[in-house]
Amino acid sequence: MRKKAFLATAVIAGGAVLGTFAVAKEQLPTHLKELLELGMHPGHVFADEGAEYYHNMKGPNGKTCASCHGQDGAKLVGAYAKMPRYYKDIGKVADIDLRILSCMTKYMGYDPKDKKFKKKYTKKLRVPLSTYVATLSNGMEISVKLDDPQEKEMYEYGKKLWFMRVGGRDFSCGICHTVLAGQRIRLQGLPNPVKQKSYNHWPAYRFGSDRMWTMEDRVRSCFKAYLLSVNQWDPKKDWVKKPPPYVKEVIAIELFMKHASNGGVIEVPGLLR
Ligand code: HEC
Ligand code: HEC
């Protein structure tokens, strides 16, 4: 499906202007550099799909995203640069994934207890919608403030989790991404998302797995791949596989990383090998 959509777009976009891409070109393997030179960025397919949902997908109450946030996302320009942040209407610090889900249940008539809807959102709608909304902040500097006490608390929690050693391997996010950053693991270079302000290229398209990912996906997957952990932060929750989406722990880590990326210029969708 994805591949087909991508190819179709590639044909239409053939020779089109080069889109935004964030990753330093020299870091990309040749086949990806060639794609970009042809003006083809598979991540744009997802942003376009998100724009389509944004304008045309009606909730059970007949509202679209555009009914409240304006044509072409007019009122959401710059919003992504300040997220995650505290929202009074939902009483939570939310990242992009959770914010959009909350809008759909609170303002569009979807039932928050409807498991089928939640699954559809998580699997199908979340990534394109988040990607589209993120593109509305392209060219702007990340500017996460910690004005609200709830934001400060989440930030501190995220920082603590970043350095907390857990799991069968006794790893922490920070061991790989702060202490060992720059070295290689399984032949992959270890990035330093905190120092390098790499939040600026998320959501990103990962060519190797042919997938578009938001930062939630990245954090949850790193968790699964490297920490191999029962959730020692809260032993009642078993996270040997992956933390579930939209949990506080993941959003706290996102807030910590995004704050560290303040000043970085947003260029999404990113493109990673
Ligand atoms: C009936 C109106 C309504 C609809 C429909 C709606 N939202 Fe919202 N949205 C809100 C309100 C209210 C807020 C909270 C604004 C605040 O506190 O700054 C919000 C906040 C947001 C934010 C954060 C904005 C910011 O400045 O940080 C995003 C992003 C967003 N909505 C996306 C969406 C998307 C995508 C859809 C469609 C799937 C959608 N919304 C549908 C009312 C709506
Ligand atoms: C054992 C090492 C290891 C641990 C522990 C680990 N990661 Fe990663 N992480 C990686 C590798 C390797 C990559 C690069 C993968 C690639 O090239 O696609 C990565 C990529 C990332 C990226 C993308 C960076 C960029 O430049 O875009 C983020 C963000 C990230 N990890 C966050 C986390 C968080 C949060 C945790 C803790 C929950 C964590 N990682 C734990 C190895 C690790």
Side-chain angles (χ1 to χ4, degrees):
M1 264 297 279
R2 294 285 184 232
K3 277 230 168 79
K4 248 189 239 155
F6 164 50
L7 284 178
T9 306
V11 171
I12 296 161
V17 196
L18 231 131
T20 28
F21 59 94
V23 179
K25 255 176 137 186
E26 44 304 342
Q27 285 171 16
L28 289 172
T30 317
H31 64 286
L32 290 189
K33 277 190 219 161
E34 281 169 6
L35 265 184
L36 288 175
E37 271 152 26
L38 290 167
M40 295 174 197
H41 184 324
H44 290 156
V45 174
F46 289 82
D48 292 350
E49 189 183 336
E52 169 72 24
Y53 297 145
Y54 179 92
H55 292 100
N56 301 320
M57 177 185 67
K58 285 200 177 102
N61 67 6
K63 291 216 158 74
T64 65
C65 311
S67 325
C68 294
H69 296 298
Q71 180 66 24
D72 298 323
K75 294 182 191 160
L76 294 178
V77 171
Y80 185 68
K82 299 183 186 141
M83 301 175 77
R85 70 174 178 86
Y86 176 72
Y87 292 96
K88 217 170 163 185
D89 66 329
I90 52 174
K92 277 184 199 156
V93 175
D95 64 358
I96 184 81
D97 314 58
L98 176 61
R99 178 64 252 188
I100 296 175
L101 174 63
S102 309
C103 275
M104 293 180 79
T105 52
K106 202 172 163 70
Y107 299 120
M108 293 172 77
Y110 292 100
D111 178 0
K113 293 200 191 94
D114 179 350
K115 286 203 177 121
K116 237 169 133 186
F117 158 71
K118 211 164 163 189
K119 192 167 168 195
K120 184 177 173 194
Y121 173 73
T122 301
K123 296 236 179 287
K124 184 172 156 62
L125 307 172
R126 177 183 60 91
V127 171
L129 277 168
S130 301
T131 304
Y132 171 63
V133 172
T135 63
L136 300 170
S137 295
N138 266 335
M140 298 180 188
E141 284 187 11
I142 295 175
S143 166
V144 171
K145 308 247 166 38
L146 301 172
D147 291 339
D148 190 277
Q150 301 227 30
E151 292 166 352
K152 279 192 196 109
E153 195 192 314
M154 279 290 252
Y155 173 84
E156 291 303 328
Y157 188 42
K159 190 173 171 182
K160 185 170 131 193
L161 296 180
W162 179 264
F163 292 107
M164 190 184 276
R165 302 178 80 138
V166 293
R169 292 179 174 161
D170 204 25
F171 269 136
S172 67
C173 315
I175 290 209
C176 281
H177 291 302
T178 305
V179 181
L180 298 176
Q183 306 201 40
R184 287 183 175 271
I185 186 167
R186 295 183 192 163
L187 294 177
Q188 287 183 320
L190 283 169
N192 186 335
V194 169
K195 231 191 196 151
Q196 295 168 335
K197 302 191 188 293
S198 18
Y199 215 120
N200 82 324
H201 61 243
W202 288 89
Y205 185 83
R206 297 191 69 227
F207 203 82
S209 55
D210 189 22
R211 271 200 201 136
M212 185 77 208
W213 269 3
T214 67
M215 190 54 104
E216 272 234 6
D217 298 308
R218 177 68 268 181
V219 173
R220 291 173 59 232
S221 295
C222 249
F223 196 99
K224 174 186 172 180
Y226 300 116
L227 297 189
L228 285 184
S229 164
V230 231
N231 178 8
Q232 297 183 357
W233 308 326
D234 180 352
K236 278 183 300 230
K237 296 181 203 151
D238 175 356
W239 285 355
V240 173
K241 291 194 178 116
K242 242 190 208 186
Y246 324 119
V247 294
K248 191 178 163 195
E249 285 80 359
V250 171
I251 294 174
I253 289 177
E254 286 181 274
L255 180 59
F256 168 69
M257 292 193 300
K258 192 128 176 210
H259 181 266
S261 295
N262 272 350
V265 176
I266 296 176
E267 289 181 70
V268 294
L271 183 62
L272 303 172
R273 70 198 174 92

